[in-house]
Amino acid sequence: MPYSFALVFTALLSSLAGCKDEKMKQQSNEFAIIAYYAGNAENISRFPVEKLTHIIYSFCHLKGNRLVVDNAEDSLTIRKLVSLKNRNPKLKVLLSLGGWGGCKTCSEVFNSATGRTEFCQSVKELTDLYQTDGIDLDWEYPAIEGYPGHQFLPEDRGNFTALVRELRQSLGRDKVLSFAAGGFTKFLVESIEWDQIMPHLDMVNVMSYDLISGFSPMTGHHTPLFSTPDQVESADRAVQFLDSIGVPAGKIVIGAAMYARVWGEVDSVNYGLYRPGKFKKAVSYRAFKENLSENQGFASYWDTVAQAPFRYNAAEKLFATFDDRESVRLKTQYALKKGLGGIMFWQLGEDEPEDGLLDAMFDVKKELARD
């Protein structure tokens, strides 16, 4: 074989082997089903945790510059979550920082190198102490307004990048590092230096719920899969944006909601959808039968464009927006067919322990894995 041809042939074999290795690597990266969990140690045993790949304890908070577990009950819950590996050896258990209203001093702490370093050290210490598998950052939000009254600065954007880099260095590559991202355009465009942080992250959990929040004077879908002429924000819009700026699909995780948002004083035009109203309350999925059923005066509707359900009570002028088994089934199908990293949800304690939304997600994953 001529020398030049041998070089080309060898390079071709190497390239094919590399493609094969990459394909095998992609196939081995299991589609994630991720639960946030804000319940107690006792209740978790009722849920089918064998169907999860990750569970994220919600939440730990800042005390000074350090991440802390707030009390003995929270500590017990974390240890219980870790013990679930006896039922599901592949389960990853993560701690999380913050949550809505839980990151009051994040902007201040992460605005200094000392604050970031002490925080990273504390994360490493807690990870070692509880034998957890990583951390999810839920700062709502860097650089833009989030919880009313919480500080936000333009510098937050770069500080978040610096924090992610230092966390990866502190925890090493074997730990999971993720963050919860707002699913709305302002966050996606203004809060994050995506090209800088994604090489250090395992996944971004897109909160494609609360897209119509409790502050909205108008009803809408709070967790739609697709945008509509009347509502721009959706899971698909967030995915399209992240794809357009080069975020790897396999690191994108979309969100589902195990709760409804209910508005009052809503007129009957369009069965209450996209109408003025006043936010009243959230209702857990497990409580739908007692609060949002036909017996309580609600009629059910389906938006074929948004791929989202809603309900309206004409007598009491109540409107409810939520996920159900069909909408989470479609979201899971979407995520799998798009090659996304997975689907996540807030939060497991609000699901039905049997025949709930987690079961619907898992059934789709199992079905499509056979195709």
Side-chain angles (χ1 to χ4, degrees):
M1 181 182 294
Y3 179 69
S4 60
F5 181 77
L7 284 177
V8 172
F9 185 71
T10 302
L12 178 61
L13 286 177
S14 176
S15 176
L16 290 172
C19 292
K20 182 179 179 181
D21 288 345
E22 183 61 28
K23 185 176 181 181
M24 290 176 65
K25 181 180 179 181
Q26 290 173 353
Q27 290 174 341
S28 68
N29 290 336
E30 183 181 4
F31 181 83
I33 299 180
I34 303 169
Y36 285 86
Y37 184 68
N40 59 33
E42 294 179 9
N43 286 338
I44 188 62
S45 298
R46 302 185 301 140
F47 294 96
V49 297
E50 294 80 6
K51 298 179 179 181
L52 296 171
T53 58
H54 302 70
I55 191 164
I56 302 177
Y57 172 73
S58 309
F59 289 101
C60 299
H61 300 101
L62 289 173
K63 185 175 182 179
N65 294 337
R66 297 177 60 81
L67 185 70
V68 298
V69 176
D70 293 334
N71 52 56
E73 183 176 346
D74 289 357
S75 180
L76 181 64
T77 302
I78 295 168
R79 295 189 186 280
K80 179 65 176 181
L81 295 180
V82 173
S83 77
L84 296 175
K85 294 185 178 189
N86 293 324
R87 289 171 54 185
N88 180 0
K90 293 184 178 180
L91 182 67
K92 301 289 187 182
V93 180
L94 278 62
L95 302 178
S96 62
L97 161 72
W100 182 249
C103 222
K104 182 177 182 179
T105 60
C106 284
S107 176
E108 176 186 353
V109 168
F110 301 140
N111 198 31
S112 75
T114 298
R116 294 191 295 269
T117 296
E118 289 186 16
F119 174 79
C120 292
Q121 290 172 345
S122 69
V123 171
K124 179 68 165 60
E125 290 168 9
L126 287 177
T127 301
D128 291 343
L129 174 65
Y130 289 101
Q131 292 298 291
T132 48
D133 299 292
I135 186 168
D136 181 75
L137 301 171
D138 192 358
W139 174 2
E140 301 183 28
Y141 305 102
I144 65 171
E145 185 176 11
Y147 190 85
H150 285 192
Q151 175 178 291
F152 60 99
L153 303 170
E155 295 87 349
D156 293 341
R157 201 165 183 252
N159 291 337
F160 187 73
T161 299
L163 174 66
V164 167
R165 285 175 173 160
E166 190 163 350
L167 267 173
R168 176 55 76 195
Q169 185 176 14
S170 177
L171 293 175
R173 275 285 164 191
D174 62 325
K175 297 298 183 184
V176 178
L177 180 53
S178 64
F179 83 104
F184 54 97
T185 302
K186 187 174 180 65
F187 177 93
L188 295 169
V189 173
E190 298 182 21
S191 287
I192 301 298
E193 296 175 328
W194 294 99
D195 60 331
Q196 299 295 311
I197 67 167
M198 289 313 299
H200 306 287
L201 291 165
D202 294 284
M203 54 202 174
V204 50
N205 294 329
V206 180
M207 294 184 286
S208 44
Y209 43 77
D210 290 342
L211 298 180
I212 296 292
S213 75
F215 297 104
S216 174
M218 300 285 290
T219 69
H221 298 295
H222 96 84
T223 181
L225 179 53
F226 293 105
S227 303
T228 74
D230 295 285
Q231 183 173 336
V232 170
E233 309 293 8
S234 68
D236 176 67
R237 179 179 173 84
V239 170
Q240 287 193 49
F241 173 82
L242 294 174
D243 178 67
S244 74
I245 60 172
V247 174
K251 290 188 175 185
I252 301 171
V253 176
I254 59 172
M258 294 189 168
Y259 60 96
R261 286 188 167 275
V262 181
W263 273 255
E265 302 179 29
V266 182
D267 65 37
S268 62
V269 176
N270 202 29
Y271 307 110
L273 181 61
Y274 306 130
R275 300 300 298 164
K278 292 185 178 180
F279 177 73
K280 288 179 64 69
K281 62 181 178 179
V283 177
S284 297
Y285 179 72
R286 67 173 186 271
F288 278 17
K289 291 178 182 178
E290 293 77 26
N291 291 270
L292 302 178
S293 71
E294 187 176 336
N295 290 337
Q296 278 72 47
F298 283 88
S300 298
Y301 302 94
W302 179 261
D303 186 329
T304 57
V305 179
Q307 297 289 281
F310 62 100
R311 293 180 186 174
Y312 182 68
N313 182 324
E316 298 186 34
K317 297 184 177 181
L318 298 173
F319 172 88
T321 167
F322 51 90
D323 266 323
D324 63 7
R325 288 182 61 85
E326 179 64 8
S327 67
V328 299
R329 186 182 70 81
L330 291 169
K331 281 183 177 177
T332 308
Q333 286 181 348
Y334 171 95
L336 281 159
K337 291 177 179 179
K338 288 279 188 180
L340 304 185
I343 187 166
M344 63 84 173
F345 54 89
W346 180 270
Q347 60 99 3
L348 184 59
E350 298 189 86
D351 197 14
E352 292 277 12
E354 296 182 11
D355 198 28
L357 299 185
L358 170 56
D359 295 293
M361 296 174 192
F362 183 79
D363 289 347
V364 172
K365 174 181 175 178
K366 185 168 61 173
E367 174 189 338
L368 291 186
R370 292 198 299 264
D371 293 347

